[in-house]
Amino acid sequence: HFHVITSIPNTFFVKLSPKGELTKMNLEDETLESFGTSRIEDLTWKQIFDTWTCTECGRCQTYCPAYETGKPLSDKEINQALKHHIYDEAPYILEEKNQKVAQDQKEGSDQTQTENKEEEQAHNRPNMIGEIIKEDTIWSCTTCGWCEEACPVQIENIGRIIDFRRYLVLTESKFPKEATSVFKGLENNSNPWGLGSNKRQDWAEGIEGVRWVSDNPDFEYLFYVGCAGSFDDRNKKITKAMVKILNAAGVNFAMLGNEEGCCGDSARRLGNEYLYQTLAQTNVETFNNYKVKKIITTCPHGYNTIKNEYPQFGGNYEVWHHSEFILKLINEGKLKLKGGQNISCTYHDSCYLGRINGIYEEPRILLTSISGINLKEMERNHYQSFCCGAGGGRMWLEENIGTRINKNRTEEALRLNPDVIAVGCPFCLIMLDDGVKDKGVEEKVKVLDISEIVAKALE
């Protein structure tokens, strides 16, 4: 019951930075023997305090997409395993520290004998990664944020799991095989699809109203298209819908085209901090070169990364998710929606838009402002929404354990018999669209981005 003592100070010391911000690693620190977290000594005091604070209530598991679909991930179990590991290893850690003090006072054979004893003890100690916390457990997390949202004592799980991944990727070079092509594509072409970076603006061929920064250097808003909107055929339709909406509202915007790069979200959350920092620094340099002040995104992952993590690299911008921005245009009277679609619709909360960044009502207000749309809520909605399965870089990894997360969420949506499943995230669109096709109801139920619904209402 030690958690009774630690819960209050643990809550007091909860991080006050944005939920979606991960810590920036100092990759140039020559004193580091390895990157990421692989042993108790690598844990921060707060991460150790978290393990003592866990009440074992299990709320973190209630809507955890990995746990609910049979993956070997339970943040409660991780906390308990780490806590017992810390207690078991504490005597050895303290002994090693005492030996290091003694080393400074000894020379020659005595010092060599001490070093050999340390190596023997280190060899006999169990590995925290692999033995205490299984690798499959580490790679199962979608970083959806439910565990932290539900925890009554403010335990921070996501950053710790990412630190485990950083160790596996940067120090051990051990990661799911599917991530190899993702990292290669990001490194060579700045997109996880691995398609040529010179094809990033090909989606715009034959589209009216397209504006590039080279043609409109005095733009007010940068429309950051992102990788999905540039390379995925389904998501290109969302990009085109946004261009139509922005032009209809008379927004002074421009796009980077081939000068745009991946935001780096998947690289960072898959543990490749080095690659992420390279991508982020390149984008920030490009943005600042064009004196970008305001940015519109259609992807919550890009939204979160640019808004909450780019300030770590000197990139400070006013960032809008397109659901917020379109609603702003409607409220300002710059968009007139005709409506009359007469559809039954349910809205899926993206984890990185909702739980991570607190944007719940804007998409709903936007949808209900269109006459003819009957919005129905799924059982798990708003902060209790269930993940689509694509977050945390899981978009690119195979799901070989348990049932598919997108199948679970799709089945929940279909129980409402909707005509449309509305989303505000390109990853969610891909995952739920696959779920609908898997159920064989793609002719009856459409998965649409909110921008597509709005664009149709303009006609």
Side-chain angles (χ1 to χ4, degrees):
H1 289 83
F2 191 44
H3 66 262
V4 175
I5 297 174
T6 60
S7 60
I8 294 177
N10 197 69
T11 302
F12 179 79
F13 285 111
V14 68
K15 74 171 186 176
L16 299 179
S17 55
K19 284 185 179 181
E21 179 188 3
L22 295 176
T23 58
K24 179 184 177 184
M25 287 184 64
N26 182 4
L27 299 172
E28 298 179 356
D29 187 350
E30 296 180 355
T31 64
L32 294 177
E33 297 179 2
S34 64
F35 295 106
T37 296
S38 66
R39 53 183 188 158
I40 294 171
E41 293 88 333
D42 298 328
L43 294 168
T44 67
W45 72 266
K46 179 59 168 61
Q47 289 172 335
I48 293 175
F49 213 64
D50 278 340
T51 67
W52 291 336
T53 305
C54 180
T55 67
E56 301 182 58
C57 68
R59 294 183 188 179
C60 56
Q61 301 171 174
T62 306
Y63 292 144
C64 171
Y67 184 83
E68 283 289 287
T69 56
K71 278 72 170 175
L73 172 63
S74 163
D75 287 297
K76 180 185 76 171
E77 296 301 328
I78 289 178
N79 280 307
Q80 295 310 305
L82 287 177
K83 180 177 69 175
H84 293 305
H85 181 54
I86 291 167
Y87 282 137
D88 291 343
E89 297 304 307
Y92 299 102
I93 295 172
L94 293 173
E95 184 178 351
E96 286 178 8
K97 287 188 175 182
N98 292 333
Q99 288 175 350
K100 287 180 180 179
V101 172
Q103 261 186 357
D104 295 336
Q105 303 172 355
K106 294 183 179 181
E107 295 180 355
S109 60
D110 288 342
Q111 181 175 348
T112 302
Q113 183 178 2
T114 301
E115 290 173 348
N116 289 338
K117 186 177 181 181
E118 284 183 357
E119 292 176 2
E120 182 180 355
Q121 288 180 341
H123 177 73
N124 292 330
R125 289 173 58 184
N127 296 317
M128 190 163 74
I129 306 300
E131 294 183 60
I132 305 303
I133 308 297
K134 303 297 183 183
E135 291 182 24
D136 280 341
T137 299
I138 295 169
W139 292 112
S140 293
C141 180
T142 67
T143 68
C144 75
W146 167 256
C147 55
E148 295 186 2
E149 182 77 30
C151 182
V153 289
Q154 305 293 313
I155 293 175
E156 298 161 18
N157 301 297
I158 296 174
R160 184 175 57 197
I161 286 178
I162 298 301
D163 284 340
F164 293 155
R165 290 183 179 180
R166 286 170 172 173
Y167 170 76
L168 289 171
V169 173
L170 299 177
T171 303
E172 295 291 329
S173 192
K174 293 174 66 177
F175 42 82
K177 61 181 181 180
E178 304 89 22
T180 302
S181 60
V182 175
F183 292 155
K184 184 178 180 180
L186 288 169
E187 183 176 353
N188 296 335
N189 293 295
S190 196
N191 72 83
W193 276 268
L195 300 174
S197 58
N198 61 340
K199 299 183 181 298
R200 187 175 276 271
Q201 65 184 50
D202 285 3
W203 62 268
E205 291 183 7
I207 303 300
E208 294 183 2
V210 172
R211 306 180 191 180
W212 309 115
V213 290
S214 56
D215 304 322
N216 183 26
D218 297 323
F219 63 91
E220 181 181 5
Y221 292 92
L222 175 71
F223 175 24
Y224 180 81
V225 177
C227 297
S230 299
F231 295 105
D232 179 68
D233 288 340
R234 177 63 186 85
N235 277 285
K236 289 177 184 178
K237 296 179 181 179
I238 298 172
T239 307
K240 295 173 184 177
M242 272 305 295
V243 170
K244 178 180 178 180
I245 292 168
L246 294 174
N247 281 316
V251 177
N252 181 15
F253 75 99
M255 298 171 288
L256 289 168
N258 291 340
E259 293 184 75
E260 184 181 280
C262 179
C263 69
D265 164 83
S266 290
R268 182 170 239 192
R269 280 151 185 79
L270 283 173
N272 198 334
E273 179 72 6
Y274 176 81
L275 179 55
Y276 164 74
Q277 291 195 18
T278 301
L279 295 167
Q281 288 167 351
T282 300
N283 277 335
V284 169
E285 183 178 338
T286 301
F287 293 167
N288 292 345
N289 182 52
Y290 282 107
K291 297 180 173 55
V292 172
K293 301 297 181 183
K294 303 174 183 178
I295 299 175
I296 305 167
T297 74
T298 58
C299 177
H301 298 269
Y303 172 89
N304 177 73
T305 301
I306 297 171
K307 180 178 181 178
N308 298 324
E309 297 184 330
Y310 276 18
Q312 297 173 344
F313 304 92
N316 296 281
Y317 316 105
E318 178 184 306
V319 188
W320 294 80
H321 183 258
H322 70 320
S323 63
E324 297 177 288
F325 194 75
I326 295 172
L327 183 60
K328 172 178 177 289
L329 295 176
I330 293 174
N331 290 338
E332 292 175 350
K334 295 179 180 179
L335 276 182
K336 303 295 183 181
L337 305 183
K338 298 178 181 178
Q341 299 185 46
N342 192 27
I343 59 175
S344 172
C345 175
T346 187
Y347 173 70
H348 164 76
D349 287 283
S350 161
C351 301
Y352 271 76
L353 189 61
R355 265 193 300 271
I356 303 298
N357 282 286
I359 300 176
Y360 295 111
E361 298 307 323
E362 288 86 342
R364 290 175 167 83
I365 296 172
L366 178 57
L367 289 170
T368 54
S369 69
I370 304 173
S371 63
I373 290 184
N374 177 25
L375 186 63
K376 301 177 181 179
E377 293 287 1
M378 285 183 259
E379 181 179 348
R380 296 173 291 190
N381 61 75
H382 286 74
Y383 78 93
Q384 293 184 324
S385 180
F386 197 71
C387 182
C388 74
R394 290 291 321 177
M395 169 75 183
W396 315 106
L397 307 183
E398 291 295 333
E399 201 169 343
N400 298 316
I401 304 175
T403 58
R404 296 184 65 84
I405 295 172
N406 67 329
K407 179 180 178 181
N408 184 298
R409 184 57 164 171
T410 303
E411 289 175 347
E412 181 178 5
L414 294 180
R415 285 197 287 270
L416 296 173
N417 296 314
D419 300 312
V420 170
I421 301 174
V423 299
C425 172
F427 287 179
C428 293
L429 187 144
I430 292 172
M431 299 299 279
L432 295 180
D433 199 43
D434 285 347
V436 167
K437 291 176 180 176
D438 183 64
K439 288 293 182 180
V441 293
E442 63 270 25
E443 296 300 324
K444 178 183 177 183
V445 182
K446 302 298 181 185
V447 182
L448 299 175
D449 185 83
I450 52 179
S451 62
E452 294 179 292
I453 298 173
V454 171
K456 186 174 181 181
L458 291 173
E459 298 174 356

